[in-house]
Amino acid sequence: MTEFFVHSFSTLSHGLIGYAIPFLFVLTIVVFFHELGHFLVARWAGVKVLTFSLGFGPELVGFNDRHGTRWKISAIPLGGYVKFFGDDTEASTPSAETLAAMSAEERAGSFHHKKVGPRAAIVAAGPIANFLLAIVIFTCLFTFFGKPSTTARVDKVEAGSAAATAGFQVGDVVTAIDGTKIGSFSDMQRIVGTHAGDKLTFTVKRGDSLVDLAGTPELREVKDPFGNVHRLGVLGITRQTAAGDTVTERVDPATALWLGVKETWFVIDRTLAYIGGVFAGREAADQVGGPLRIAQISGQVATIGLAALIHLAAVLSISIGLLNLFPVPLLDGGHLLFYAVEAVRGRPLSERAQEMGFRIGLGLVLMLMVFATYNDILHLAAS
């Protein structure tokens, strides 16, 4: 037992040193734009912004702008916040006594004295900024690096696999799955990987003919080049890439934007499908990761290149945007839930009800953090 913890601590310490810089780079980009969304819409709505902080805890460095906002970097780089005039805490919870004592001029710049519409817009702006950031990043990557693709050709069929059962043959080229056009081998992998156990219809070009094959991907544990284990649907098809097989298609900015939107929606769709699968018992919750896993992946991806790290920032931005939209008090989605109730009732929930909601939300967030960190430590110890 002692040796296990010594090995785990050694692995963790060594990994964190190598992963810290890429992790902070990625997280800072994502958090900055999330909070910038809140900040810009608040300024537009006439709300006075007291603090714009990257990180939590004691201030390391900062300055005041001409509007009186304190911009700062804090000691704990695991998030950030924007504090509005009228907020009692960084979680945007108000103090009834403070709000009641405000003058008419102060109320004009108070977040909590705005109508429910502007407040909801300010809160929703953070996650929306995350989605827009991802679209911009994907668009830039497609514009400047193009869209690489490899023909979805079958070079090998694993004996006894789902592909063999379906009747795939060497030389087949997959052109569509369930009517969806397949432009590359990676397109096929995405669909197959996320449809384990689902019967799919593959349209393949075999010689001069088109043939329809029915196959059901098997759920397997697959290791990526860094040794991380993922549970994916697998057919049992291999593509052997030779020189010149991969073609990079140059795309115009408008096409790149459309591809960026599609890529963003793909990540949203697959994330929600995974979460739904966890609650339904179809997916394993051990894939849920926290800061340590993100740090590890950031360090690994950074070895590939800056473009890959920026791509990871886009994926993480989408994940944080989605997480914040969950209807859990303390998160943006929890605030939006309270505002929806307020819009229906014509008046806000009582201060006690909101306080209880935030306590429950804090408990849920802490439980998720502990669970994710536990998964991270087990994952790092096993690697």
Side-chain angles (χ1 to χ4, degrees):
M1 181 65 72
T2 303
E3 291 179 356
F4 170 77
F5 282 110
V6 169
H7 170 70
S8 300
F9 180 77
S10 176
T11 301
L12 183 62
S13 300
H14 181 270
L16 288 179
I17 293 173
Y19 301 151
I21 294 177
F23 167 66
L24 292 178
F25 172 76
V26 169
L27 189 64
T28 299
I29 291 176
V30 173
V31 170
F32 174 78
F33 279 94
H34 178 94
E35 301 304 334
L36 186 64
H38 293 312
F39 173 83
L40 291 176
V41 177
R43 279 278 177 87
W44 169 80
V47 173
K48 183 178 180 181
V49 182
L50 300 178
T51 308
F52 187 114
S53 176
L54 288 176
F56 299 98
E59 177 180 325
L60 298 179
V61 62
F63 68 92
N64 292 329
D65 67 17
R66 61 189 179 89
H67 298 285
T69 301
R70 181 67 178 176
W71 296 73
K72 64 180 184 177
I73 297 176
S74 300
I76 305 174
L78 295 178
Y81 63 90
V82 172
K83 188 175 182 180
F84 304 118
F85 184 65
D87 287 348
D88 191 45
T89 68
E90 288 79 0
S92 201
T93 54
S95 167
E97 293 79 9
T98 302
L99 297 181
M102 285 184 180
S103 65
E105 182 180 356
E106 289 175 328
R107 292 186 179 201
S110 168
F111 172 78
H112 298 281
H113 285 96
K114 294 295 179 181
K115 293 183 178 180
V116 67
R119 276 183 282 139
I122 293 169
V123 170
I128 290 173
N130 282 130
F131 300 141
L132 292 177
L133 172 62
I135 292 173
V136 169
I137 289 176
F138 288 140
T139 300
C140 290
L141 290 176
F142 283 124
T143 299
F144 296 108
F145 294 93
K147 181 184 178 184
S149 64
T150 305
T151 306
R153 187 182 70 230
V154 178
D155 290 331
K156 182 180 178 181
V157 179
E158 181 184 326
S161 65
T165 303
F168 279 91
Q169 297 179 10
V170 173
D172 286 348
V173 177
V174 179
T175 60
I177 300 177
D178 283 348
T180 300
K181 183 180 177 181
I182 299 299
S184 67
F185 195 78
S186 62
D187 288 345
M188 181 180 69
Q189 284 180 310
R190 278 190 169 189
I191 295 177
V192 170
T194 55
H195 286 81
D198 297 332
K199 187 176 182 179
L200 303 174
T201 299
F202 298 84
T203 302
V204 303
K205 184 178 181 181
R206 182 174 294 170
D208 295 327
S209 304
L210 290 178
V211 180
D212 285 340
L213 304 174
T216 304
E218 306 170 25
L219 184 63
R220 295 187 190 176
E221 290 189 347
V222 179
K223 283 190 176 183
D224 64 22
F226 301 108
N228 300 312
V229 177
H230 307 276
R231 293 184 180 87
L232 301 171
V234 174
L235 273 178
I237 290 175
T238 301
R239 175 69 160 89
Q240 297 172 344
T241 306
D245 275 359
T246 301
V247 177
T248 300
E249 178 187 354
R250 307 301 298 183
V251 295
D252 59 84
T255 302
L257 175 61
W258 173 239
L259 292 173
V261 172
K262 288 176 63 178
E263 188 74 8
T264 300
W265 173 248
F266 173 81
V267 177
I268 292 173
D269 179 60
R270 295 325 309 163
T271 302
L272 293 176
Y274 169 73
I275 294 172
V278 170
F279 283 104
R282 297 190 305 268
E283 300 281 359
D286 61 0
Q287 297 298 302
V288 176
L292 299 181
R293 183 83 63 89
I294 296 172
Q296 182 190 32
I297 294 174
S298 300
Q300 292 170 340
V301 170
T303 63
I304 300 176
L306 181 60
L309 191 61
I310 294 295
H311 185 279
L312 175 64
V315 175
L316 181 61
S317 185
I318 296 169
S319 300
I320 287 181
L322 280 176
L323 176 64
N324 273 278
L325 284 178
F326 287 174
V328 176
L330 201 71
L331 300 179
D332 292 334
H335 289 287
L336 291 174
L337 177 62
F338 284 164
Y339 299 154
V341 173
E342 180 179 343
V344 172
R345 297 175 74 237
R347 64 183 188 279
L349 292 172
S350 67
E351 185 177 358
R352 176 173 174 77
Q354 292 190 50
E355 181 183 353
M356 289 299 296
F358 283 117
R359 287 183 179 180
I360 293 172
L362 177 61
L364 291 173
V365 171
L366 289 176
M367 287 171 59
L368 178 61
M369 289 178 62
V370 169
F371 178 70
T373 303
Y374 173 76
N375 280 344
D376 290 351
I377 293 174
L378 291 182
H379 179 80
L380 287 171
S383 60

